[in-house]
Amino acid sequence: YLDANAETVITDKIQTLVPTVVKQNVDAYFETNKQKFDEMITAKLNEKLNTITVTEKVVPSSRINDLFPRLMQLNLPGQEKPVLSDTRDVILFEFMDYQCGFCKRFFSSVQHIKNTNDKVQVKYIEFPILGDMSVYAANVALALSEQGLYEKAHEALMAMNERVTPQSVVNVVIGLGADLEQLKQSTQNPMYMEVLRTNVTTGQTMGITGTPHAVIISLDSNDAIVGEEIGGYVNAETLAQIIEKYQND
């Protein structure tokens, strides 16, 4: 038999303990099944992305002459310096972020161009504006340029279906066969963080506030700089049509 005071004490104790026990159990369950949750969330996000109708924002740029020298001055570790010539007559600069879902969709459009049109130079501009993990992944990708793996790292990170975390990025690095000790030293090189800061500052002064954002540059028959900006995702067919307008016969 319990008197009223004892019942109150026990009830209060239970109310104090139950949330703690429940939270501990929930935390343990979440930690055990973290990868499964990540995969479920990523699958749902991809499913949602595939149902979204994206408005294609393609506008002729009257400011290409202003953008061109800024873009050409950017340091792009692991990539050949862009140049306009008779054999490579279009440059596609892409501002991108590894945590951007639409960048991942645009990646397939860009890859189609790379695989089907050898007169287009594609230059990736690391533009990590979506948080610390974006900066982390971009820094790792740039650091891998010292092992000749920048473009492979870029492609692998863009093709990655899971959430960007230190572990998922490391998994990509291991899959590339990179030297982890060398990479650890390379990521400490302040040059790469300076590249990222310059990219973000340049993009912001150009009025770029989101990703993906592409700038297409070419020369017309009078050797004048011409081109367009593409703000957002466009499919491979649309991107090819835009580029075709600037191809020299």
Side-chain angles (χ1 to χ4, degrees):
Y1 175 77
L2 299 174
D3 61 25
N5 183 57
E7 284 188 76
T8 300
V9 171
I10 293 172
T11 301
D12 290 343
K13 190 66 173 176
I14 291 172
Q15 289 175 342
T16 300
L17 289 174
V18 167
T20 301
V21 173
V22 170
K23 183 178 186 305
Q24 289 173 344
N25 288 339
V26 170
D27 287 348
Y29 179 79
F30 179 79
E31 190 61 33
T32 302
N33 296 275
K34 187 172 182 296
Q35 183 174 352
K36 184 183 295 183
F37 283 130
D38 283 347
E39 291 172 352
M40 289 171 58
I41 291 169
T42 300
K44 285 294 182 184
L45 286 173
N46 288 335
E47 182 181 325
K48 184 65 177 175
L49 282 173
N50 288 332
T51 64
I52 295 175
T53 301
V54 183
T55 302
E56 295 171 350
K57 300 177 181 177
V58 181
V59 290
S61 177
S62 58
R63 60 191 191 119
I64 290 295
N65 281 317
D66 176 51
L67 302 185
F68 179 63
R70 298 194 204 184
L71 293 169
M72 294 294 284
Q73 289 172 5
L74 291 175
N75 183 6
L76 304 175
Q79 302 181 75
E80 293 182 4
K81 186 174 178 60
V83 59
L84 292 175
S85 67
D86 292 338
T87 55
R88 306 294 298 278
D89 57 14
V90 172
I91 307 173
L92 188 160
F93 293 96
E94 182 200 355
F95 289 81
M96 40 63 59
D97 185 304
Y98 292 115
Q99 292 197 100
C100 165
F102 285 113
C103 292
K104 289 179 179 289
R105 294 184 68 188
F106 190 55
F107 170 69
S108 64
S109 301
V110 174
Q111 285 298 102
H112 174 76
I113 296 299
K114 287 187 68 175
N115 294 334
T116 60
N117 193 333
D118 60 6
K119 298 189 77 175
V120 177
Q121 302 166 75
V122 175
K123 301 301 171 186
Y124 307 114
I125 301 175
E126 301 284 346
F127 195 61
I129 58 174
L130 297 179
D132 291 343
M133 285 312 307
S134 297
V135 175
Y136 175 82
N139 187 46
V140 168
L142 292 177
L144 282 168
S145 65
E146 295 182 20
Q147 301 184 46
L149 293 172
Y150 169 73
E151 292 205 13
K152 287 185 177 180
H154 172 83
E155 292 171 1
L157 288 167
M158 274 299 176
M160 187 170 67
N161 289 322
E162 58 188 303
R163 191 160 56 94
V164 178
T165 65
Q167 187 57 56
S168 64
V169 173
V170 168
N171 290 342
V172 165
V173 172
I174 292 173
L176 295 174
D179 183 322
L180 297 182
E181 283 303 314
Q182 182 181 346
L183 176 62
K184 184 177 180 180
Q185 295 177 11
S186 300
T187 54
Q188 303 304 312
N189 187 336
M191 179 185 74
Y192 300 121
M193 290 303 294
E194 183 57 34
V195 167
L196 297 178
R197 280 191 288 269
T198 300
N199 289 354
V200 171
T201 299
T202 300
Q204 290 174 341
T205 59
M206 290 167 57
I208 297 173
T209 58
T211 54
H213 190 102
V215 183
I216 294 171
I217 303 282
S218 186
L219 296 173
D220 67 12
S221 57
N222 297 314
D223 288 338
I225 299 294
V226 293
E228 290 188 18
E229 291 180 79
I230 306 173
Y233 162 80
V234 295
N235 61 34
E237 181 181 0
T238 300
L239 182 59
Q241 290 172 350
I242 295 168
I243 290 173
E244 186 178 1
K245 294 190 299 183
Y246 298 99
Q247 297 266 232
N248 295 322
D249 296 330

